[in-house]
Amino acid sequence: MGQQLSTCKTSITDLGSKNMEFLSNYQVPESLKLSSNTVRLTIIAVPITTIVLLNVFKNRYMATLCHRLESSLKKQFDAHKDKLFANLKDIQVDQLPGKRRPCLLEIGSGTGTNFDYFDRYISGPYDLIVVDTNPCMKPYLEEKIHQHEQANLLRYIESPAEDLSAVNSNSVDAVISTLVLCSTNDNSKVISEIKRILVPGGRFLCLEHVVSDFGTVTHLAQTLFRLPFKYALATGCDMKRRIWEDIESGGFSEFKYDKLYMYSKSITLIYINPYLLGVARK
């Protein structure tokens, strides 16, 4: 029995030695070898592909979230939006050159939650240009636009608000921005583009959340949660922006605004307050 075990151990040892010798002498076929260029491309492609997939997921997530939150957000902001969009009543078709239709442009249109207000305060048909960076919002927006007979969707532009080059200068009667300027990359460029495309006397209507006064509990919360909220939770939303200063330095002939606080059971309002309700005129 001992002799058999010894023979077995010897066989296993010999087999291991032969396997090691085989592996050390094994040559990978040329067809299976990865060139240095392939390795480099793989190293580059993997993170890029990951970023693209994450961006697609983020866009779909945000579009779905905005769609599901429409009714609750409308209740929360309805009174303030009603006050803001009442400024559209001054755009009268019979006062426009050639009696053309009014033209509105909304940046960050999302799922089209503001279309109801446009219909409410503009008498008659109007042209609408929508600008958004998220292509996943478009199906919801197109479904919404079919419910508004007054609106003629002139153009859907997939672009950041900093680049409105697809829109002619002095061609838009009113530009609308609600809860958008908190997440743009360069508000000075956004404001400059808005002013460029507005007709003389045209209006820029905005409802945006801004930084709270220093020394308040809200300001402390904004300071503590600013970075995690911006980069992890809210796709670039910055809670501490002084948007009224961006608009004041934009060269408008007039800018009137109010800061208002909203009260709700929602915990987010601990650090997303106050709100800027403003109208600027070119």
Side-chain angles (χ1 to χ4, degrees):
M1 184 69 176
Q3 185 177 1
Q4 289 178 345
L5 287 174
S6 176
T7 304
C8 183
K9 289 179 181 179
T10 303
S11 300
I12 292 173
T13 302
D14 293 342
L15 181 61
S17 299
K18 290 180 181 180
N19 285 339
M20 291 299 295
E21 182 181 355
F22 171 77
L23 290 174
S24 63
N25 294 327
Y26 178 74
Q27 298 293 324
V28 178
E30 290 296 326
S31 60
L32 297 179
K33 287 184 178 179
L34 294 176
S35 67
S36 58
N37 287 336
T38 302
V39 173
R40 292 192 191 100
L41 288 173
T42 302
I43 293 172
I44 295 171
V46 169
I48 291 176
T49 303
T50 302
I51 291 171
V52 170
L53 291 174
L54 287 174
N55 192 55
V56 170
F57 171 78
K58 179 195 73 175
N59 286 341
R60 289 182 178 176
Y61 166 76
M62 288 304 298
T64 303
L65 181 66
C66 289
H67 179 64
R68 291 182 177 178
L69 291 177
E70 272 187 23
S71 58
S72 62
L73 289 175
K74 186 171 183 178
K75 291 178 182 178
Q76 181 176 331
F77 291 102
D78 184 61
H80 303 298
K81 284 188 176 184
D82 207 45
K83 179 181 177 181
L84 177 68
F85 291 118
N87 289 277
L88 295 175
K89 288 191 296 184
D90 295 336
I91 303 175
Q92 301 297 331
V93 176
D94 57 0
Q95 296 176 2
L96 298 175
K99 294 187 178 181
R100 62 172 175 79
R101 288 185 293 195
C103 182
L104 310 183
L105 182 143
E106 183 176 18
I107 60 175
S109 298
T111 57
T113 55
N114 290 328
F115 294 172
D116 289 341
Y117 301 97
F118 302 164
D119 283 7
R120 187 179 304 172
Y121 289 109
I122 296 182
S123 57
Y126 59 90
D127 291 331
L128 179 62
I129 302 172
V130 296
V131 180
D132 206 296
T133 58
N134 187 346
C136 297
M137 298 285 191
K138 191 175 181 181
Y140 296 111
L141 185 142
E142 289 178 334
E143 180 182 347
K144 189 69 64 63
I145 201 73
H146 291 149
Q147 302 169 16
H148 296 78
E149 296 181 359
Q150 289 177 234
N152 170 45
L153 184 57
L154 198 63
R155 194 180 304 173
Y156 181 95
I157 302 173
E158 188 180 322
S159 169
E162 290 86 349
D163 180 14
L164 301 179
S165 56
V167 183
N168 293 331
S169 300
N170 304 308
S171 63
V172 176
D173 297 294
V175 175
I176 295 95
S177 167
T178 58
L179 307 180
V180 174
L181 298 181
C182 60
S183 56
T184 47
N185 293 322
D186 188 339
N187 273 347
S188 62
K189 286 185 178 180
V190 176
I191 301 303
S192 177
E193 281 288 82
I194 289 172
K195 185 185 174 188
R196 178 186 66 81
I197 65 176
L198 280 172
V199 299
R203 296 169 180 79
F204 170 43
L205 282 59
C206 66
L207 172 62
E208 304 286 349
H209 65 85
V210 294
V211 64
S212 183
D213 293 334
F214 181 79
T216 62
V217 174
T218 303
H219 187 276
L220 176 61
Q222 289 173 342
T223 302
L224 292 174
F225 295 106
R226 180 183 191 180
L227 293 180
F229 192 82
K230 181 177 182 178
Y231 294 108
L233 300 176
T235 62
C237 175
D238 188 345
M239 298 181 287
K240 295 188 69 175
R241 291 196 174 179
R242 306 174 69 86
I243 294 172
W244 70 94
E245 292 182 356
D246 297 329
I247 301 174
E248 285 176 332
S249 61
F252 290 96
S253 64
E254 180 183 75
F255 177 45
K256 297 180 179 179
Y257 67 90
D258 294 314
K259 287 184 186 177
L260 49 97
Y261 282 82
M262 296 188 186
Y263 300 96
S264 169
K265 295 179 181 179
S266 173
I267 192 171
T268 58
L269 291 186
I270 294 175
Y271 44 82
I272 302 181
N273 249 320
Y275 287 80
L276 177 75
L277 190 72
V279 180
R281 185 187 293 265
K282 180 174 177 179

